[in-house]
Amino acid sequence: MNTESPSKIPGLPARIAALRLLDAVCRRGETLDQALPVATAKLSNPSDRSLAHNIAANALRWMTALDAMIDSATKKRLPDDAKARMALRIALVQVLILETPQHAAIATALPLVHGGPRRLVHGVFSTVMRGLESGALGLPEHPEIPGETLDRWTDRWGEDVAIAAGQAWAQSPPLDLSFKTDDAGELQGEKLASKHLRMQPDKPVTELPGFDEGAFWVQDLAASLPARLLGEGEGKTVLDLCAAPGGKTMQLAAAGWKIQSVDNSEKRMERFTDNLSRTKLDAEVVIADLMKWEPAEPADAILLDAPCSATGIFRRHPDVLHCIGSRQIADRAEVQKTLLDRIAPWVKPGGVLVYAVCSLEPEEGEEQIEQFLEGHDEFEIVPVTADALPDTISPTENGCVRTLPNMLADKGHLDGFFIAKLQRKG
């Protein structure tokens, strides 16, 4: 990458990393999590890595509005992946969202197009700044969900949900904590369910009372629902499949299940084992490919948190809405079907299979289970009852669970999940 020496301009290394992150998402279709290690490899300061991620994430979240401002100041539209457009997104999001002084934003943006159209970038930035000062330009109240996704969600869930998604996208998500017991100790917040607390922290989670003692772990309320549906384990066996980073395993261990936790990512399982150690909870950890691995014997229960588009967790991962389209959704749905077919025999007769995806796409949820039941008449839906869920969430008509962005809107919103509880006939 042809940029000026980072050592000459304060703050430039973080902006170079932000540019690499945006390039990875917008041109190569990577997620921020995938791109982060390489993009920030040269940043030794954790605050610089955090800044790079924050710039890129907010640029992705507000990209539609940022691009409209850029396009208003150019005679010929810049290509979507042009470095000049990337640099302008980085400069504008700093001024508009992160409240960076204008001179610092442009001083660290111009070196990003070293050897390129610096005069164009400076001119467009200045024009947009004048437009903002005059009131001719400005950010909308909420960021706009990218077009294809907005159309898809409006069609499938209705305009109210699509509007709520934009509202949720604009806010910093609250901190949701799951606890080993129903005692939150010194922590203050809103109890949305048993063993759960939602709060707006004023310090890093690692500094909260009870963290070092392993009293809790970070887990959105929606993500806690699949394990809740399995109830108390009483020593019965459960397979937690695609288990990293471990929130569901810790819930199950705290509820008395005997667990094998399987995931194919060695790196993610490092964090998993760290969490188990901190919380002093037990599980047998297996790093393996589910298409090659199989258990020694069937289990009383299986929890499959299947690989999916992850469009339901867009609040914390704005990149997914720029990476995921109909083709990617179809590809992931095929993977889910293959996994369901493979693991079905691993459930004991009379045992339970909980299927979950953090997706807002019916192809990965409602339609996936409908298709599975058509091909597996040995399974049937066990209708989830209202008393198995937090008061704020209700089961669907057929007894499954679907969470949407308009739920808990007055309390910080909710991730999008689909969950089905199935039983293998005995």
Side-chain angles (χ1 to χ4, degrees):
M1 179 178 295
N2 293 321
T3 54
E4 291 183 8
S5 173
S7 63
K8 295 181 180 179
I9 302 175
L12 181 57
R15 276 70 173 187
I16 293 174
L19 177 63
R20 289 179 173 141
L21 287 171
L22 283 180
D23 186 66
V25 173
C26 297
R27 283 205 310 112
R28 300 198 298 275
E30 297 179 19
T31 67
L32 284 177
D33 285 348
Q34 290 170 335
L36 199 62
V38 172
T40 63
K42 295 182 179 180
L43 300 180
S44 58
N45 191 326
S47 64
D48 284 342
R49 291 195 292 272
S50 177
L51 176 60
H53 183 275
N54 203 14
I55 291 171
N58 276 290
L60 291 165
R61 185 174 284 113
W62 290 95
M63 188 173 289
T64 300
L66 297 175
D67 282 351
M69 292 181 185
I70 293 168
D71 293 342
S72 74
T74 58
K75 292 181 180 179
K76 183 178 180 181
R77 190 179 188 280
L78 294 169
D80 287 341
D81 60 353
K83 188 175 288 187
R85 183 181 288 278
M86 295 286 195
L88 283 163
R89 288 166 174 164
I90 288 171
L92 293 176
V93 81
Q94 289 179 81
V95 173
L96 293 167
I97 304 300
L98 304 183
E99 299 182 348
T100 303
Q102 292 184 25
H103 66 86
I106 191 62
T108 51
L110 291 177
L112 301 179
V113 288
H114 179 65
R118 293 167 63 108
R119 183 176 297 179
L120 170 67
V121 169
H122 196 285
V124 171
F125 180 81
S126 299
T127 299
V128 173
M129 290 301 103
R130 289 193 295 271
L132 291 168
E133 291 166 2
S134 69
L137 295 176
L139 288 177
E141 184 178 0
H142 306 116
E144 183 177 324
I145 303 296
E148 179 188 343
T149 303
L150 180 64
D151 292 344
R152 193 172 66 245
W153 288 356
T154 301
D155 180 59
R156 293 173 180 178
W157 306 119
E159 188 173 355
D160 288 348
V161 171
I163 291 172
Q167 294 170 343
W169 216 20
Q171 302 174 11
S172 296
L175 178 65
D176 280 15
L177 302 177
S178 284
F179 290 78
K180 288 194 293 187
T181 71
D182 214 16
D183 180 8
E186 301 176 38
L187 294 176
Q188 300 295 315
E190 184 166 7
K191 186 175 181 178
L192 298 178
S194 64
K195 299 183 180 181
H196 181 92
L197 196 69
R198 172 166 286 189
M199 57 190 299
Q200 297 290 345
D202 56 3
K203 61 179 67 174
V205 66
T206 55
E207 297 178 14
L208 293 175
F211 178 84
D212 289 338
E213 294 76 17
F216 60 81
W217 53 92
V218 176
Q219 187 178 38
D220 188 78
L221 178 63
S224 77
L225 299 180
R228 288 177 183 275
L229 298 187
L230 286 174
E232 296 298 316
E234 300 173 345
K236 291 180 289 187
T237 58
V238 61
L239 303 177
D240 184 8
L241 306 181
C242 307
K248 297 175 182 68
T249 285
M250 289 183 284
Q251 283 180 277
L252 294 169
W257 288 87
K258 182 180 179 182
I259 314 159
Q260 269 192 313
S261 301
V262 187
D263 199 281
N264 67 353
S265 172
E266 186 171 351
K267 185 172 184 179
R268 281 165 56 85
M269 289 301 259
E270 288 178 7
R271 179 182 169 194
F272 182 108
T273 53
D274 287 345
N275 279 328
L276 279 180
S277 177
R278 179 177 62 83
T279 56
K280 300 177 180 64
L281 292 169
D282 294 323
E284 180 185 344
V285 177
V286 179
I287 300 173
D289 181 347
L290 287 178
M291 296 311 298
K292 299 175 181 177
W293 179 88
E294 60 182 55
E297 58 185 12
D300 295 303
I302 290 180
L303 196 166
L304 174 63
D305 187 1
C308 69
S309 64
T311 53
I313 55 174
F314 68 97
R315 293 185 301 156
R316 293 177 177 83
H317 300 275
D319 46 296
V320 300
L321 301 191
H322 295 277
C323 301
I324 296 296
S326 55
R327 178 175 62 81
Q328 289 82 5
I329 293 167
D331 289 346
R332 285 158 176 76
E334 187 60 34
V335 170
Q336 293 149 18
K337 178 184 182 302
T338 301
L339 278 174
L340 279 168
D341 288 342
R342 176 162 173 75
I343 71 171
W346 301 354
V347 183
K348 289 180 180 179
V352 173
L353 166 62
V354 171
Y355 170 83
V357 284
C358 55
S359 168
L360 284 165
E361 318 307 326
E363 297 95 322
E364 300 181 282
E366 290 85 348
E367 294 174 17
Q368 187 69 245
I369 290 303
E370 182 179 342
Q371 183 182 27
F372 175 77
L373 292 174
E374 287 176 356
H376 293 268
D377 58 8
E378 74 275 23
F379 281 86
E380 60 186 358
I381 288 179
V382 179
V384 176
T385 57
D387 61 0
L389 297 170
D391 293 340
T392 50
I393 302 171
S394 300
T396 63
E397 289 184 4
N398 69 341
C400 295
V401 180
R402 164 58 74 185
T403 61
L404 295 167
N406 62 334
M407 295 178 176
L408 297 184
D410 60 336
K411 301 179 187 296
H413 297 272
L414 195 64
D415 282 348
F417 263 77
F418 172 83
I419 310 157
K421 183 177 182 180
L422 312 174
Q423 184 171 40
R424 185 174 182 180
K425 299 172 187 176

